C-alpha cells in the first residue's frame, strides 16, 4: 500500500467515524497550494471543523499525532485562513484524527488543536 492509498483509506475511515459522531462532511482534499491541503472540512452543529487526518500502518515509527510538525500546522492554518476568506464562517476549530491500522484499527480524535 503506497502513502497516497494509505492516506485515502485513512480519510475514508475518518469520514465514517465523524459522520457517526454527528458531523456533516462538506468537502475533502481542498487544495490551496502545493503545501496547503485541508483533508476534511465538516460541520458539527453550528461549527465548521477543519480536520487533519494522519494515518499510520502501525505505531512502530511513532504515532499519527507525532507527524503534525510546526510547519505542517502552519500550512493547515494557511488553508483555514484561505477558506475563511472565501466563505462567511464565524465559528470554527481545527481537529486532528489519528488512525493506526495494525494490529487493530485505532481512531483518536483531538479537538480544537493549537501549537
Amino acid at each position: 500500500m503506497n502513502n497516497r492509498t494509505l492516506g485515502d483509506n485513512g480519510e475514508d475511515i475518518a469520514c465514517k467515524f465523524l459522520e457517526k459522531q454527528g458531523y456533516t462532511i462538506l468537502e475533502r482534499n481542498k487544495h490551496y497550494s502545493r503545501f496547503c491541503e485541508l483533508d476534511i472540512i465538516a460541520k458539527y452543529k453550528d461549527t465548521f471543523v477543519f480536520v487533519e487526518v494522519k494515518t499510520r500502518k502501525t505505531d512502530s515509527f511513532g504515532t499519527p499525532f507525532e507527524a503534525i510538525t510546526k510547519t505542517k500546522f502552519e500550512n493547515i492554518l494557511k488553508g483555514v485562513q484561505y477558506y475563511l476568506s472565501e466563505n462567511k464562517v464565524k465559528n470554527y476549530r481545527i481537529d486532528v484524527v489519528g488512525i493506526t491500522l495494525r494490529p487493530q484499527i485505532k481512531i483518536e480524535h483531538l479537538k480544537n488543536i493549537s501549537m
Side-chain angles (χ1 to χ4, degrees):
M1 181 181 308
N2 66 37
N3 286 343
R4 183 73 233 163
T5 303
L6 179 68
D8 289 345
N9 288 343
E11 288 175 14
D12 290 342
I13 292 167
C15 283
K16 289 174 187 168
F17 170 80
L18 292 168
E19 288 172 334
K20 286 181 183 177
Q21 304 299 315
Y23 291 73
T24 301
I25 306 303
L26 303 175
E27 292 188 61
R28 285 181 62 177
N29 301 313
K30 179 78 171 172
H31 288 268
Y32 286 103
S33 74
R34 188 168 68 118
F35 301 106
C36 183
E37 175 191 6
L38 299 172
D39 292 336
I40 299 171
I41 302 169
K43 196 163 185 192
Y44 183 73
K45 298 181 181 176
D46 66 342
T47 302
F48 279 77
V49 183
F50 300 94
V51 183
E52 176 68 14
V53 179
K54 287 296 179 191
T55 307
R56 296 288 177 262
K57 291 177 188 172
T58 69
D59 278 344
S60 298
F61 297 103
T63 69
F65 297 130
E66 291 174 315
I68 307 286
T69 63
K70 181 180 179 189
T71 301
K72 178 63 179 168
F73 185 74
E74 288 170 354
N75 288 335
I76 294 167
L77 282 178
K78 286 178 193 171
V80 169
Q81 293 303 319
Y82 285 128
Y83 189 88
L84 296 175
S85 69
E86 292 177 349
N87 301 276
K88 294 182 180 182
V89 174
K90 294 185 182 192
N91 297 322
Y92 71 94
R93 71 175 196 248
I94 300 171
D95 291 3
V96 177
V97 172
I99 299 169
T100 307
L101 298 177
R102 290 190 292 253
Q104 62 196 23
I105 294 177
K106 177 180 169 186
I107 303 170
E108 295 179 278
H109 185 188
L110 295 179
K111 299 177 183 177
N112 203 23
I113 66 160
S114 62
M115 285 277 190

